[in-house]
Amino acid sequence: MALPAFAARALGPPPLQLEQGAPARTTCPRRHSRVEAELAASRPGSVAASVRASPPRGVSLGFNSPPLQDKPPKAFSSLAGALRAPLFALLPRGRRRRMHDLRRRWDLGSLCRALLTRGLAAVGHSLKHVLSAIFSKIFGPLASVGNMDEKSNKLLLALVMLFLFAVIVLQYVCPGTECQLLRLQAFSSPVPDPYRSEDESSARFVPRYNFSRSDLLRKVDFDINGDDLIVFLHIQKTGGTTFGRHLVRNIQLEQPCECRVGQKKCTCHRPGKRETWLFSRFSTGWSCGLHADWTELTSCVPAVVDGKRDARLRPSRNFHYITILRDPVSRYLSEWRHVQRGATWKASLHVCDGRPPTSEELPSCYTGDDWSGCPLKEFMDCPYNLANNRQVRMLSDLTLVGCYNLSVMPEKQRNKVLLESAKSNLKHMAFFGLTEFQRKTQYLFEKTFNMNFISPFTQYNTTRASSVEINEEIQKRIEGLNFLDMELYSYAKDLFLQRYQFMRQKEHQDARRKRQEQRKFLKGRFLQTHFQSQSQSQGQNQSPGQNLSQNPNPNPNQNLTQNLSQNLTQSSNPNLVQKENRGGQKQGSGQEQSDGSTSNGTNDYIGSVETWR
């Protein structure tokens, strides 16, 4: 067969002519490479003629084997092989090796796929036989009804489909790994207390302060349908934003707050009224200034809520103040990171005694538009930084120390007055929570205001402040700059945990009292039913004349009820029973004989109680 002209020009000189009667080319890739190398070496003037062909990897020619170039070339079985051999010989040696390795890998992959397919088929076949044997053992009596193999196959298919359906339903009802149904510990261990300390410390602690019962029992008679108002004092970087969202989005109410998409403020009206019950950032906005403190809120909130009404028409409201505190070091680092990102809080008014502070009373720590990018050392070096002791300053009454005028009293006396004022205001607040105890904060709020949240609070142990790595020296300096906040937080944590323990104990006592009342009620019902059935049986055994002679009272149920009440009183007061028994021993024998019927009834009652127990 002659080649076209363009193919001959592209291939150059004509290839080596095949010998007559040469064996046909085999399909082994190793023999392909050998033949191609022989053809390339036999061509005069070719690049591969000067390179002695070596056997491929894994092929040994033996000790007495003649060189490859002395062997006669073998014929190709097709024109394609004859055309491909010169082109393959022109490739570099490294390229030829890579192509040869690729062929071997492809053959090994095909072999692995074939083995895997056959292995899976064999496993499936053996599994089918095993399952059929199991079903034949289980459902042996049904073998005589019909073809057992067909029935077992249908039953196996039904079971598999049922299992798949159960898995799909389980994934739909209980997605994720947090499903309570998948927790095997629930069957072996009791349910853990959801309010156990979130900071991995012991649930029991040693109190440092002595608080009265009125300080620990915080139960506010908050009527959302009335005129009372909850005022949220939001301190910077204490988790107040999260808690504020819980107040407007996560409380079970008769008329929930209306929160629209894209708007920060929600409408929290009382049921059937166009009046709000919550004064916070997400309900009324910053009506008294950005992050208004105690001094500003106590003078501003009544004017904002009832400012448009006549003084004679203003209702007598109760303002319930609430707030959230945080560990001072974590709060300080979080505020520094927030300032680094460009926060300034320039909209804060700091109004005290009816006026804001002057620039001399409250200088600025930076000269530009913001303090973004400031290092921690510069943040700590500013003596006018409001981040220092911020929680004490925002919870105290600044009018007691002359507001922001530091020349009114000495610094030591000023700090003492501020700390005592902050402690007093915090103790008399309706509620305060701690960022480090989210679940306990939720529990105390629900018990204080008798309002329940829809979903539980989440404790976030990883925050921006926790990502800041500081050494011991810097931490001690931050504690020194916030020494008033450190003492206030210690006081608040002690009061918070004592309130929590007190409320939990009270809850357990109330539950125990309810169980005791239920037991008494059930015991009375049981004894009443028992005596009624006993009296009916005695009445049936006796004649009507004998009943009238022995029981002059025509209403036996009344005597039965009186005896039952007396017996219950005696069982509840054993000391009284002993005194009555001692008094009864001093009486005469004639009285004992006259009271024979009563003693018999009492003995019957005691015997019935012992039998019931």
Side-chain angles (χ1 to χ4, degrees):
M1 180 178 178
L3 293 175
F6 67 89
R9 286 193 301 269
L11 295 175
L16 182 66
Q17 297 294 330
L18 302 177
E19 297 180 357
Q20 295 293 334
R25 179 185 176 185
T26 179
T27 58
C28 179
R30 295 180 180 178
R31 301 191 66 180
H32 286 181
S33 60
R34 185 183 300 176
V35 171
E36 291 164 357
E38 291 175 359
L39 291 177
S42 63
R43 289 190 55 195
S46 62
V47 179
S50 60
V51 181
R52 184 177 181 84
S54 59
R57 297 180 184 179
V59 179
S60 177
L61 299 178
F63 293 101
N64 299 324
S65 300
L68 291 176
Q69 60 183 2
D70 298 335
K71 289 185 178 181
K74 295 183 180 181
F76 293 97
S77 60
S78 63
L79 180 62
L83 295 177
R84 188 168 60 248
L87 295 177
F88 184 80
L90 293 178
L91 295 176
R93 187 173 181 179
R95 184 94 177 257
R96 291 200 304 270
R97 286 182 179 180
R98 288 195 296 271
M99 293 183 65
H100 182 63
D101 294 341
L102 184 62
R103 287 180 180 178
R104 292 180 61 189
R105 292 174 185 173
W106 185 85
D107 293 340
L108 182 61
S110 301
L111 179 61
C112 292
R113 285 193 295 271
L115 291 177
L116 183 61
T117 303
R118 295 198 175 190
L120 292 177
V123 170
H125 189 67
S126 60
L127 183 61
K128 179 181 178 181
H129 281 285
V130 170
L131 292 178
S132 61
I134 293 174
F135 280 106
S136 62
K137 291 291 184 181
I138 297 175
F139 303 99
L142 298 177
S144 60
V145 179
N147 191 2
M148 185 59 196
D149 294 335
E150 183 178 358
K151 288 189 176 182
S152 62
N153 291 334
K154 290 182 179 180
L155 184 60
L156 177 62
L157 180 61
L159 291 177
V160 171
M161 295 298 293
L162 182 62
F163 175 75
L164 294 177
F165 178 75
V167 170
I168 294 173
V169 171
L170 182 63
Q171 290 294 326
Y172 177 78
V173 175
C174 180
T177 60
E178 297 297 329
C179 181
Q180 297 292 337
L181 297 176
L182 299 179
R183 293 186 177 181
L184 299 179
Q185 296 180 356
F187 298 95
S188 59
S189 60
V191 180
D193 187 2
Y195 303 106
R196 193 168 179 86
S197 54
E198 293 93 343
D199 58 351
E200 301 299 331
S201 62
S202 177
R204 297 183 178 273
F205 74 103
V206 179
R208 296 178 52 190
Y209 300 90
N210 295 325
F211 297 103
S212 62
R213 179 182 174 85
S214 60
D215 295 334
L216 299 179
L217 181 59
R218 307 304 283 176
K219 193 170 183 62
V220 177
D221 187 14
F222 177 73
D223 185 11
I224 195 172
N225 297 316
D227 298 320
D228 296 347
L229 191 69
I230 296 178
V231 183
F232 180 38
L233 196 160
H234 187 177
I235 303 175
Q236 289 95 319
K237 313 312 296 178
T238 58
T241 301
T242 303
F243 184 76
R245 290 197 181 100
H246 281 302
L247 293 178
V248 298
R249 298 175 183 268
N250 194 26
I251 294 186
Q252 296 179 0
L253 297 174
E254 179 182 354
Q255 182 177 342
C257 298
E258 296 180 3
C259 302
R260 298 181 180 179
V261 180
Q263 295 183 1
K264 292 184 178 181
K265 293 195 301 182
C266 302
T267 304
C268 299
H269 286 162
R270 305 180 191 272
K273 297 182 180 179
R274 302 288 296 176
E275 183 182 0
T276 184
W277 57 269
L278 176 65
F279 192 94
S280 69
R281 167 188 178 183
F282 293 106
S283 59
T284 58
W286 303 111
S287 302
C288 294
L290 181 62
H291 289 285
D293 54 19
W294 172 271
T295 308
E296 293 176 288
L297 290 177
T298 51
S299 61
C300 172
V301 172
V304 170
V305 175
D306 299 324
K308 298 180 180 179
R309 297 185 181 182
D310 190 5
R312 296 173 296 179
L313 300 177
R314 293 180 182 178
S316 58
R317 300 179 183 273
N318 292 321
F319 297 98
H320 304 291
Y321 288 88
I322 62 175
T323 189
I324 301 292
L325 297 182
R326 188 180 181 183
D327 176 72
V329 177
S330 300
R331 198 212 65 80
Y332 189 84
L333 292 174
S334 181
E335 182 171 346
W336 165 63
R337 293 294 299 271
H338 198 58
V339 169
Q340 269 192 331
R341 296 191 298 270
T344 58
W345 296 297
K346 289 183 178 180
S348 299
L349 302 178
H350 304 294
V351 175
C352 181
D353 274 344
R355 66 174 184 87
T358 62
S359 57
E360 291 79 10
E361 293 176 344
L362 190 62
S364 178
C365 291
Y366 54 92
T367 56
D369 295 336
D370 54 26
W371 207 3
S372 58
C374 72
L376 181 59
K377 185 178 183 305
E378 182 181 350
F379 189 77
M380 294 187 297
D381 290 341
C382 180
Y384 311 107
N385 194 350
L386 292 178
N388 302 335
N389 298 312
R390 180 182 289 276
Q391 298 182 93
V392 170
R393 179 181 57 81
M394 294 188 66
L395 289 175
S396 61
D397 188 0
L398 296 180
T399 58
L400 301 176
V401 294
C403 297
Y404 294 92
N405 188 3
L406 303 180
S407 61
V408 173
M409 61 179 64
E411 182 180 0
K412 187 176 182 179
Q413 182 181 359
R414 175 186 175 89
N415 293 335
K416 183 179 180 181
V417 173
L418 288 176
L419 182 59
E420 294 299 327
S421 176
K423 288 182 178 180
S424 177
N425 293 335
L426 186 69
K427 183 175 65 174
H428 293 93
M429 272 187 174
F431 164 81
F432 73 90
L434 299 181
T435 308
E436 289 75 18
F437 301 93
Q438 290 290 321
R439 298 297 297 274
K440 292 183 176 64
T441 298
Q442 176 185 356
Y443 175 81
L444 288 179
F445 183 88
E446 291 176 348
K447 295 301 179 182
T448 301
F449 290 96
N450 196 20
M451 303 170 70
N452 296 324
F453 290 96
I454 300 174
S455 59
F457 289 7
T458 305
Q459 182 69 42
Y460 295 102
N461 296 322
T462 302
T463 58
R464 292 189 177 95
S466 62
S467 62
V468 179
E469 297 181 359
I470 57 175
N471 53 28
E472 186 177 357
E473 181 181 358
I474 295 178
Q475 182 174 356
K476 288 184 178 179
R477 186 179 178 188
I478 294 176
E479 292 176 357
L481 292 173
N482 298 271
F483 68 99
L484 295 179
D485 277 5
M486 294 294 293
E487 189 169 352
L488 176 66
Y489 183 78
S490 177
Y491 175 86
K493 183 177 180 180
D494 192 276
L495 177 58
F496 178 83
L497 294 178
Q498 286 195 45
R499 282 182 177 177
Y500 169 75
Q501 286 194 354
F502 180 81
M503 296 298 292
R504 292 284 284 180
Q505 292 176 1
K506 187 176 181 300
E507 183 181 10
H508 293 162
Q509 291 175 1
D510 295 341
R512 190 181 302 111
R513 189 180 300 109
K514 288 182 179 180
R515 289 195 299 268
Q516 291 176 358
E517 293 176 355
Q518 290 177 357
R519 291 195 191 101
K520 289 182 180 179
F521 176 75
L522 294 176
K523 184 187 295 185
R525 291 288 299 273
F526 172 78
L527 294 176
Q528 184 179 3
T529 306
H530 174 72
F531 283 125
Q532 286 179 358
S533 61
Q534 188 176 8
S535 62
Q536 290 177 2
S537 62
Q538 292 178 359
Q540 291 177 1
N541 295 331
Q542 295 177 357
S543 62
Q546 293 177 354
N547 290 336
L548 290 175
S549 62
Q550 293 180 1
N551 188 8
N553 190 358
N555 189 3
N557 293 330
Q558 183 176 0
N559 295 333
L560 189 62
T561 306
Q562 292 177 359
N563 294 332
L564 178 62
S565 61
Q566 292 176 3
N567 293 329
L568 290 177
T569 306
Q570 293 175 2
S571 63
S572 60
N573 297 326
N575 296 328
L576 183 60
V577 174
Q578 293 178 2
K579 291 181 181 180
E580 292 179 354
N581 292 334
R582 292 174 184 174
Q585 292 176 2
K586 296 180 182 180
Q587 295 176 358
S589 60
Q591 187 177 357
E592 291 179 357
Q593 293 178 0
S594 64
D595 296 336
S597 59
T598 306
S599 62
N600 293 332
T602 305
N603 294 329
D604 294 339
Y605 163 73
I606 294 174
S608 63
V609 171
E610 294 297 334
T611 305
W612 176 74
R613 288 181 178 176

